[in-house]
């Protein structure tokens, strides 16, 4: 056991705990385990996993159309490895028991698979549409291979959602007020709807409705070659674009057993952390604006320009970096820019210490954020919360630290965790992480390996599958890519 790898330890524990339930078990790559079980054994397998891996969280559920069957992959982080627990169900009767009572964090993922692949999760407390419009054609599931998407003349997008607003009575007999916020609202930066249940001024429940900006990128990715998809996945999110391209490229590189140059790994880290600083400063500034602290918003966004300038000089673009590519990165870092980067980021670091004083001591900010929106650590774990929100509730879950990629296993940095679990803690996590990101970039610049920053790779990839994880600014990002041996992906699924 002494010399056994992390995935080896986890695999041995899984095999001994599940016993005859296991149909197949393989560990094709570091910290990646694939376990196959029968459909009727899935819930028991999840229960066993929860008992042997106390900190287990669900990353997502992906579904794969296998012509006569639908393969379901439950991607679980067990603290040592990402375990993909898989089973298959017949396409003629796509039903399986829900696991939401065991893993509450699976609720939205099951709804997504129901919406896009037509899988019925028996016993799910609220199995209804999540991404597609209410008027979408029944029996048409976009991620099935036989789905005809030429439906522009058959689907009406004008019908309103059937929601109840005003006074309602809950199952405990309380008189609550049901209030809809969105999908269009000045406080929302993307179209999404939240149905709040209020007891006076206390929010007792909220029902999210997503998908208003869903653009079918996963389906579109199947029609493009791997190298073209790099540009496509970058468009999933503007301020997380480097995270998406890095995550996708890593998955494809795993498929092709491609080892990128050491210099490219460090350059990916630099661009990735510039992306993180940009995102955190943007969010912190908007937080100031939403609580009426407009001067804080203006100051933070002014300092954000430093990062945008450096990003443009490194990648050629202020926002959409177009930097990572399969086989490395598209541009090198010139010595003059490296010196400028260290100098300007050191100035930004001084500014961040000033902002930390403001966030800690300003009475307006403290009044609006301290003891507000408390998420307990136990609840965060049950709901499989990720990113700064999880770390603001005391959970140590940072992909860079626990499932390192690029050059993160060679670069020293601290994992920022606060235990308060309130809005203030979540803002402080982002503020402290911005300081850590500056230190990471400085180290990467000063220790940048010599050599090439990109290698040539084939357009076609071998048959197989790969799962890639990165720590995007807002938390774990996962890309699951499957290849049939051609230049086109058979499947490319994204979890944000």
């Amino acid at each position: 056991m002494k010399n056994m790898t992390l995935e080896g330890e986890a695999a041995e524990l899984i095999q001994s705990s599940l016993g005859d339930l296991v149909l197949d078990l393989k560990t094709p790559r570091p910290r990646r385990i694939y376990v196959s079980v029968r459909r009727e054994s899935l819930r028991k397998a999840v229960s066993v996993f929860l008992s042997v891996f106390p900190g287990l969280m669900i990353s997502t559920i992906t579904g794969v159309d296998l012509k006569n069957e639908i393969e379901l992959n439950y991607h679980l982080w067990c603290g040592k490895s990402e375990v993909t627990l898989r089973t298959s169900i017949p396409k003629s009767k796509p039903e399986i028991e829900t696991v939401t009572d065991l893993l509450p964090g699976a609720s939205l993922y099951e709804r997504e698979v129901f919406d896009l692949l037509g899988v019925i999760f028996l016993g799910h407390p609220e199995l209804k549409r999540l991404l597609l419009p209410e008027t979408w054609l029944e029996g048409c599931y976009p991620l099935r291979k036989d789905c005809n998407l030429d439906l522009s003349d058959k689907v009406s997008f004008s019908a309103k959602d059937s929601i109840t607003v005003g006074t309602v009575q809950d199952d405990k007999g309380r008189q609550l007020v049901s209030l809809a916020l969105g999908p269009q609202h000045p406080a929302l930066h993307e179209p999404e709807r939240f149905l709040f249940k209020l007891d006076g001024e206390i929010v007792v429940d909220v029902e999210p409705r997503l998908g208003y900006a869903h653009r079918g990128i996963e389906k579109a990715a199947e029609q493009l070659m791997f190298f073209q998809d790099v540009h496509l996945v970058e468009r999933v999110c503007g301020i997380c674009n480097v995270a998406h391209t890095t995550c996708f490229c890593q998955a494809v590189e795993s498929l092709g057993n491609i080892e990128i140059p050491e210099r490219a790994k460090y350059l990916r880290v630099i661009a990735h952390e510039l992306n993180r600083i940009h995102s955190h400063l943007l969010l912190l500034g908007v937080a100031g604006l939403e609580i009426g602290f407009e001067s804080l918003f203006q100051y933070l966004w002014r300092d954000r320009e430093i990062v945008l300038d450096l990003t443009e000089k490194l990648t050629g673009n202020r926002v959409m970096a177009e930097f990572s590519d399969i086989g490395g990165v598209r541009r090198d870092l010139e010595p003059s820019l490296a010196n400028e980067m260290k100098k300007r980021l050191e100035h930004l670091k001084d500014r961040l210490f000033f902002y930390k004083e403001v966030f800690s001591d300003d009475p307006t900010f403290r009044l609006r954020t301290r003891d507000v929106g408390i998420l307990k650590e136990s609840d965060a774990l049950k709901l499989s919360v990720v990113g700064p929100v999880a770390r603001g509730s005391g959970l140590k879950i940072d992909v860079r630290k626990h499932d390192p990629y690029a050059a993160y296993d060679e670069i020293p940095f601290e994992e920022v965790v606060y235990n308060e679990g309130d809005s203030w803690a979540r803002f402080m996590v982002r503020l402290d992480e911005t300081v850590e990101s500056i230190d990471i970039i400085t180290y990467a610049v000063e220790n940048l390996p010599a050599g090439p920053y990109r290698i040539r790779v084939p357009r076609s990839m071998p048959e197989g599958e790969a799962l890639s994880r990165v720590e995007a600014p807002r938390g774990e990002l996962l890309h699951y890519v499957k290849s049939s041996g051609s230049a086109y992906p058979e499947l490319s699924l994204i979890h944000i």
Side-chain angles (χ1 to χ4, degrees), residues 6-8 10-11 14 25-29 31-35 78 81-85:
L6 288 175
E7 66 274 9
I14 291 168
L25 189 152
K26 54 185 178 181
T27 56
R29 298 178 184 89
R31 298 184 299 278
R32 298 291 180 268
I33 304 172
Y34 294 88
V35 183
C78 69
S81 297
E82 183 78 8
V83 180
T84 297
L85 181 63

Side-chain angles (χ1 to χ4, degrees), residues 443-457:
Y443 182 93
V445 167
E446 291 176 346
N447 295 273
L448 190 63
Y453 58 89
R454 188 178 182 181
I455 59 172
R456 292 182 66 86
V457 298

Side-chain angles (χ1 to χ4, degrees), residues 266-283:
Y266 274 73
L267 289 171
R268 281 184 179 178
V269 166
I270 292 169
H272 200 8
E273 294 306 315
L274 286 172
N275 224 196
R276 193 180 318 279
I277 298 170
H278 172 197
S279 177
H280 284 356
L281 292 182
L282 183 146
L283 185 143

Side-chain angles (χ1 to χ4, degrees), residues 270 273-282 284-285 296-311 339-357 359 430-442:
I270 292 169
E273 294 306 315
L274 286 172
N275 224 196
R276 193 180 318 279
I277 298 170
H278 172 197
S279 177
H280 284 356
L281 292 182
L282 183 146
L284 293 169
L296 178 63
F297 163 69
Q298 298 286 359
Y299 276 124
L300 278 162
W301 275 42
R302 179 195 65 183
D303 290 334
R304 186 178 69 112
E305 286 296 313
I306 295 173
V307 182
L308 293 176
D309 288 346
L310 292 174
T311 300
N339 292 328
E340 180 185 351
M341 199 173 279
K342 289 197 296 182
K343 192 178 193 180
R344 297 190 70 182
L345 288 177
E346 190 60 36
H347 168 72
L348 178 59
K349 190 174 179 179
D350 291 337
R351 296 289 299 161
L352 291 170
F353 292 136
F354 162 71
Y355 292 130
K356 187 163 185 177
E357 286 183 24
F359 280 51
R430 289 178 170 91
L431 194 57
D432 287 355
E433 281 188 355
T434 306
V435 175
E436 288 297 320
S437 291
I438 291 174
D439 290 342
I440 289 171
I441 292 171
T442 302

Side-chain angles (χ1 to χ4, degrees), residues 291-413:
I291 67 172
F293 201 159
E294 191 166 345
S295 57
L296 178 63
F297 163 69
Q298 298 286 359
Y299 276 124
L300 278 162
W301 275 42
R302 179 195 65 183
D303 290 334
R304 186 178 69 112
E305 286 296 313
I306 295 173
V307 182
L308 293 176
D309 288 346
L310 292 174
T311 300
E312 183 176 17
K313 290 181 178 180
L314 174 66
T315 70
N317 300 288
R318 275 170 59 86
V319 180
M320 305 303 287
E322 295 279 354
F323 190 63
S324 292
D325 200 6
I326 301 168
V329 296
R330 290 195 175 93
R331 291 188 176 206
D332 202 358
L333 176 65
E334 299 298 327
S336 58
L337 178 56
N339 292 328
E340 180 185 351
M341 199 173 279
K342 289 197 296 182
K343 192 178 193 180
R344 297 190 70 182
L345 288 177
E346 190 60 36
H347 168 72
L348 178 59
K349 190 174 179 179
D350 291 337
R351 296 289 299 161
L352 291 170
F353 292 136
F354 162 71
Y355 292 130
K356 187 163 185 177
E357 286 183 24
V358 174
F359 280 51
S360 299
D361 302 332
D362 183 83
T364 300
F365 197 86
R366 288 175 63 88
L367 182 66
R368 299 296 298 273
T369 60
R370 291 305 299 262
D371 299 322
V372 174
I374 293 177
L375 178 65
K376 296 177 183 177
E377 182 180 350
S378 57
D379 291 333
L381 184 61
K382 281 194 299 184
L383 295 169
S384 296
V385 174
V386 296
V389 177
R391 293 189 287 277
S393 293
L395 284 181
K396 290 187 176 181
I397 178 163
D398 187 325
V399 179
R400 298 173 297 171
K401 183 68 76 172
H402 303 288
D403 190 10
Y405 54 97
Y408 284 108
D409 56 344
E410 302 174 16
I411 299 176
F413 70 96

